[in-house]
Amino acid sequence: MKRIGIIAASLAVLMAASCSNGESVSPEAKALAPSKAQIDSVSYLVGVNFGTFIKGYNLGDLNMSEIQAGIKDLVSSTGNPRDPEFFDQFKISPELMQQLLNNYIEQRSKYVAAVNLDKEKDFFSKIASQPNVQKTESGLYYIINNPGAETKIAVDDDLYVHYKGTLPDGTEFDSTSEDGPSANFSLKGVIEGWKEGLQLIGDGGSIKLYIPSALGYGEYGQPNAGIEPNTPLIFDIQVDSLHKAAPATENK
């Protein structure tokens, strides 16, 4: 797993720090010891590394006392970690570590997905009651701020847009710069909510989309963008310009 290296590095620091615990050292050696400020900084860094692991895998609220117990057991351990009997000093064998972690991540993912489904229902019940909100048969909610040109956008058209994407709590996860260039793409390569919503307006139009997770990133979410499973998305989109696709020609 990609972040195991972070934990291994943190544990290496802890083990190295433990080597001098309780040992008698000469004044000359003691003078070379890291300062308290250095120890505090590295201690904080180790905590950040562990936090990166916890947050990266979305492990949720863990038992901090058990985390501390595991750290203490590691720091006070003796012997060579390469020896099989080294791990007899811990409550969990190395054979079970990966299995336990994988099982926990899978179970928590199911839990988060179920909780988010409940939140999504509550979210759209509130959206549905807002003025000017319309809904398609697929469950997409939208507000057309400006319909734009009479000819509607088609899937094959080449679009140039400015947009902002937010989560229900207001967190922005993606956007174009207000003063920067437009984003260019075809509707063929976007999520279903965009594909359906943008075909409701024409060139120069603007629309607000409330996209159900089923028309977004679904039960898997988009972890790299901070989007959890079953999370609805909100987009404000301004179509700056478009190039209509050339009409298909029949082969003679």
Side-chain angles (χ1 to χ4, degrees):
M1 305 182 95
K2 60 184 179 181
R3 293 186 179 83
I4 292 297
I6 295 175
I7 295 301
S10 300
L11 293 180
V13 172
L14 289 171
M15 292 186 70
S18 69
C19 291
S20 61
N21 288 347
E23 294 181 357
S24 176
V25 296
S26 66
E28 293 79 12
K30 191 172 183 179
L32 298 174
S35 67
K36 182 181 182 302
Q38 287 177 308
I39 292 173
D40 289 347
S41 295
V42 172
S43 298
Y44 183 79
L45 174 61
V46 170
V48 169
N49 281 337
F50 276 106
T52 300
F53 178 84
I54 293 169
K55 187 172 182 178
Y57 279 110
N58 193 19
L59 298 181
D61 296 327
L62 298 178
N63 187 330
M64 291 299 171
S65 64
E66 285 299 308
I67 291 176
Q68 292 176 341
I71 291 173
K72 289 178 180 178
D73 286 347
L74 187 282
V75 171
S76 62
S77 64
T78 58
N80 190 334
R82 296 177 181 176
D83 296 335
E85 57 272 16
F86 175 81
F87 287 93
D88 292 341
Q89 303 172 81
F90 307 103
K91 293 196 297 184
I92 301 174
S93 68
E95 291 81 11
L96 289 177
M97 288 181 182
Q98 195 66 58
Q99 180 183 343
L100 283 171
L101 180 60
N102 290 341
N103 289 347
Y104 177 85
I105 291 174
E106 181 180 357
Q107 191 66 40
R108 176 162 170 76
S109 179
K110 292 178 181 178
Y111 167 75
V112 170
V115 169
N116 286 344
L117 269 182
D118 292 337
K119 290 181 179 179
E120 183 173 39
K121 292 176 183 177
D122 292 339
F123 173 73
F124 280 111
S125 67
K126 296 175 182 177
I127 294 300
S129 64
Q130 292 186 5
N132 302 322
V133 173
Q134 301 181 69
K135 181 185 178 184
T136 67
E137 291 184 5
S138 69
L140 174 69
Y141 288 81
Y142 64 94
I143 298 175
I144 295 179
N145 299 310
N146 179 359
E150 184 176 349
T151 302
K152 297 296 186 283
I153 297 169
V155 173
D156 293 327
D157 292 344
D158 197 24
L159 298 178
Y160 292 82
V161 305
H162 274 84
Y163 69 91
K164 180 174 72 172
T166 58
L167 302 178
D169 65 1
T171 300
E172 181 178 313
F173 63 87
D174 191 17
S175 69
T176 53
S177 172
E178 291 186 12
D179 301 325
S182 306
N184 170 227
F185 55 84
S186 166
L187 289 186
K188 288 183 177 180
V190 297
I191 58 177
E192 291 300 317
W194 266 61
K195 187 180 297 182
E196 181 180 1
L198 283 173
Q199 292 183 76
L200 299 172
I201 59 175
D203 189 4
S206 63
I207 191 169
K208 189 180 191 74
L209 300 177
Y210 299 94
I211 302 177
S213 58
L215 301 177
Y217 294 108
E219 61 181 339
Y220 298 105
Q222 192 78 350
N224 292 338
I227 301 173
E228 292 187 347
N230 296 333
T231 297
L233 308 174
I234 306 167
F235 282 98
D236 291 284
I237 307 170
Q238 167 67 48
V239 180
D240 299 324
S241 64
L242 66 85
H243 299 289
K244 298 297 290 184
T249 57
E250 295 183 2
N251 295 325
K252 295 183 178 180

